[in-house]
Amino acid sequence: MRQLKEYNRKLAVKYARIWALYRNPKYKDYDPWGGDCTNYISQCMHAGGIPFDHDGKDELQKWYWYSDSSRTPSWTAADPFGRYILNNNNENTQNKGIYAVIAEYNELELGDIIQLIYQGKAYHTMIVTEVLLDDRNYLIDYLICQHTEDLLDFPLSEKIGERKYIKILGYY
């Protein structure tokens, strides 16, 4: 029987904060080709312990990056990334890799993902780096980090557009 492994949210957030305003030289910067946001978020999740996934039937069902010429669209492009992480695993699959589900706004935790959506397609990806609560423990806002307009601990409430909230449950 498969065992769900834990996503290290703290390590993902630590990486997100270190590299929010810079580029890790180990990876290509995709800003000149439409944006680096999803490449950066994939790096954060990988830093959080999620291993590369080479097991899908085609490139859209895998998730990895070794170089610009050895990578998957799900690593670097917002819409393929969102489709991969939400469709890769469920209770009935035997796939390896990320297991994530659609969440409600108030269900997000550190290291969870938010995508901006236009006409049904994701075009931008961000990571939750802080959950802001008031003195009664009620949710006030989230802080996010992102690339392609680099932002470090920016209030999610300041972002405009339709959103998709994605909870990372772990990986197989």
Side-chain angles (χ1 to χ4, degrees):
M1 185 166 158
R2 297 187 317 161
Q3 182 177 356
L4 185 64
K5 296 181 179 121
E6 189 174 340
Y7 169 47
N8 190 325
R9 296 171 179 282
K10 288 182 181 179
L11 285 179
V13 168
K14 180 179 178 182
Y15 184 96
R17 286 182 166 144
I18 290 169
W19 294 106
L21 304 178
Y22 307 98
R23 299 297 183 269
N24 183 337
K26 294 180 185 175
Y27 295 93
K28 184 172 183 77
D29 176 3
Y30 290 95
D31 273 329
W33 292 273
D36 195 58
C37 64
T38 305
N39 175 45
Y40 164 70
I41 297 305
S42 289
Q43 292 171 40
C44 294
M45 293 177 66
H46 190 57
I50 297 180
F52 293 152
D53 177 5
H54 299 91
D55 288 350
K57 290 183 289 186
D58 63 47
E59 291 304 300
L60 293 175
Q61 296 177 336
K62 300 175 185 182
W63 180 76
Y64 61 82
W65 191 98
Y66 295 103
S67 70
D68 187 43
S69 61
S70 181
R71 64 178 172 89
T72 58
S74 57
W75 183 276
T76 54
D79 199 59
F81 172 83
R83 283 186 278 134
Y84 165 77
I85 66 173
L86 290 170
N87 297 319
N88 185 54
N89 273 301
N90 62 47
E91 297 81 23
N92 302 316
T93 59
Q94 292 299 311
N95 297 336
K96 292 185 179 177
I98 301 167
Y99 184 16
V101 294
I102 294 287
E104 296 296 324
Y105 172 80
N106 63 345
E107 297 175 318
L108 296 175
E109 300 175 67
L110 295 178
D112 282 336
I113 306 301
I114 301 158
Q115 290 196 304
L116 295 181
I117 308 298
Y118 181 71
Q119 296 184 340
K121 290 192 172 199
Y123 68 91
H124 185 63
T125 311
M126 305 166 278
I127 187 169
V128 174
T129 53
E130 181 116 9
V131 180
L132 300 176
L133 304 172
D134 69 12
D135 58 356
R136 295 175 298 159
N137 238 19
Y138 290 121
L139 179 63
I140 297 172
D141 203 352
Y142 295 101
L143 299 183
I144 56 96
C145 287
Q146 68 176 39
H147 275 186
T148 312
E149 187 186 2
D150 299 353
L151 296 174
L152 171 65
D153 291 335
F154 187 82
L156 178 61
S157 59
E158 298 288 319
K159 300 293 289 183
I160 58 170
E162 180 184 344
R163 302 176 191 155
K164 183 186 302 180
Y165 306 110
I166 302 172
K167 169 150 305 293
I168 307 303
L169 300 177
Y171 66 94
Y172 292 103

